[in-house]
């Protein structure tokens, strides 16, 4: 279980996240909100890239900073398409990431083949990443996040910029990952998270303004057109700059 307790993060004198409290148990959670809502800040705090100004984040009751390497070993993070080495092959990139995660050398090969097969990239594992399509790069990022069978996964815009067919492929891979792990998916593509999410978290101006199942949110806001109508009711046409985007 991951728990955020009154977590606040300031940038200068502005809170990017303001007293957010959440408890996440196994399942898929969609994190939705306009630019400037604090989504990037929340993900960076959960992954340990940032420390909160106030409040705490705990994993099974222990503050994540105190867990150190053991927390990183149970965490899988797939950022947007950045941090990929175009001159690496797919398999070399995964080998590098497996080493960074501390997976024993004797287990790396089998683990890499497992994740490659899961995202259907086995046949291109020896190709240079620069030759991959956008969808293949996204699947490679999900593959590296899966290394070590993490219990907590954070996926940042996993379907951004992809064609409809590839978006469906990524969505179904995420669905297949759920079960006994927590998966937090930040996205602007509402239709990609709607069919698979256990719950949706709505974030606005650094605060959680609502959370519920898709069905629960649609009922609460009295909409029949699905999650997109809920999004438009809650956020309208808001677009702001997220201070975390500068980090």
């Amino acid at each position: 279980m991951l728990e955020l307790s009154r977590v606040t993060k300031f940038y200068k004198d502005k809170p990017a996240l303001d007293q957010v409290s959440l408890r996440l148990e196994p399942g898929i959670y969609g994190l939705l909100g306009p630019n400037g809502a604090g989504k990037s800040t929340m993900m960076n705090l959960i992954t340990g890239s940032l420390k909160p100004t106030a409040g705490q984040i705990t994993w099974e009751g222990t503050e994540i900073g105190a867990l150190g390497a053991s927390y990183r070993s149970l965490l899988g993070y797939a950022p947007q398409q950045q941090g990929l080495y175009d001159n690496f092959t797919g398999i070399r990139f995964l080998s590098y990431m497996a080493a960074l995660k501390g997976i024993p050398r004797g287990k790396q090969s089998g683990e890499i083949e497992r994740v490659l097969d899961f995202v259907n990239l086995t046949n291109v594992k020896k190709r240079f990443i620069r030759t991959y399509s956008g969808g293949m790069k996204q699947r490679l990022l999900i593959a590296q996040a899966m290394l070590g069978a993490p219990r907590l996964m954070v996926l940042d815009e996993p379907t951004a910029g992809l064609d409809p067919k590839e978006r469906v492929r990524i969505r179904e891979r995420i669905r297949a990952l759920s079960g006994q792990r927590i998966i937090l998916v930040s996205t602007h593509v509402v239709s990609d998270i709607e069919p698979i999410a256990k719950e949706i978290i709505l974030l606005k101006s650094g605060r959680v303004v609502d959370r519920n199942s898709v069905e629960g949110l649609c009922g609460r806001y009295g909409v029949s057109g699905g999650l997109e109508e809920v999004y438009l009711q809650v956020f309208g046409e808001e677009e702001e700059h997220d201070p975390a985007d500068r980090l």
Side-chain angles (χ1 to χ4, degrees):
M1 180 183 70
L2 181 76
E3 188 165 9
L4 285 70
S5 301
R6 301 179 66 85
V7 171
T8 298
K9 179 64 180 178
F10 274 87
Y11 292 98
K12 296 183 179 179
D13 60 347
K14 180 180 178 181
L17 217 61
D18 190 4
Q19 298 192 55
V20 168
S21 294
L22 289 170
R23 176 182 289 187
L24 305 182
E25 297 179 344
I28 299 173
Y29 297 83
L31 180 61
L32 301 182
N35 291 334
K39 301 187 301 296
S40 296
T41 299
M42 182 184 290
M43 288 185 292
N44 281 317
L45 288 166
I46 289 172
T47 58
S49 299
L50 293 175
K51 293 184 178 180
T53 305
Q56 65 175 359
I57 302 173
T58 60
W59 175 262
E60 295 185 345
T62 303
E63 203 275 323
I64 62 173
L67 289 170
S70 64
Y71 180 69
R72 293 191 293 274
S73 71
L74 60 82
L75 174 69
Y77 175 47
Q80 294 188 53
Q81 288 186 25
Q82 53 188 346
L84 288 170
Y85 299 89
D86 283 348
N87 291 326
F88 278 23
T89 62
I91 194 166
R92 184 183 176 194
F93 174 72
L94 291 175
S95 297
Y96 174 68
M97 295 305 297
L100 288 181
K101 288 191 173 188
I103 297 173
R105 184 178 295 273
K107 296 182 178 180
Q108 288 182 14
S109 179
E111 183 65 4
I112 290 167
E113 290 302 324
R114 179 185 71 83
V115 299
L116 281 168
D117 180 64
F118 184 84
V119 298
N120 196 28
L121 288 177
T122 301
N123 62 331
V124 296
K125 64 183 180 182
K126 295 184 178 180
R127 279 174 47 182
F128 289 107
I129 294 173
R130 64 173 178 268
T131 70
Y132 283 15
S133 68
M136 290 162 67
K137 289 179 179 179
Q138 288 298 110
R139 282 186 274 146
L140 185 64
L141 283 168
I142 291 174
Q144 65 80 27
M146 290 173 56
L147 287 167
R151 296 170 61 192
L152 168 63
M153 295 185 70
V154 178
L155 310 180
D156 186 6
E157 299 286 354
T159 62
L162 304 184
D163 63 46
K165 182 177 179 180
E166 194 64 66
R167 281 167 45 202
V168 171
R169 189 199 300 258
I170 295 290
R171 184 181 71 203
E172 293 309 308
R173 291 296 81 195
I174 295 171
R175 188 202 300 270
L177 283 169
S178 64
Q180 297 306 308
R181 59 168 56 91
I182 298 167
I183 303 178
L184 180 65
V185 182
S186 172
T187 183
H188 281 96
V189 187
V190 174
S191 59
D192 285 345
I193 195 64
E194 184 170 9
I196 63 174
K198 170 183 178 178
E199 283 191 357
I200 301 295
I201 300 164
L202 301 177
L203 196 65
K204 182 177 182 180
S205 301
R207 288 179 173 267
V208 174
V209 294
D210 214 336
R211 65 173 291 188
N212 209 325
S213 65
V214 172
E215 182 180 352
L217 288 172
C218 289
R220 182 173 297 165
Y221 292 92
V223 303
S224 58
L227 188 58
E228 192 164 300
E229 281 193 27
V230 172
Y231 186 98
L232 291 174
Q233 275 202 33
V234 175
F235 302 118
E237 300 299 324
E238 286 189 44
E239 285 296 331
E240 301 174 14
H241 181 71
D242 185 347
D245 290 341
R246 296 196 295 267
L247 297 184

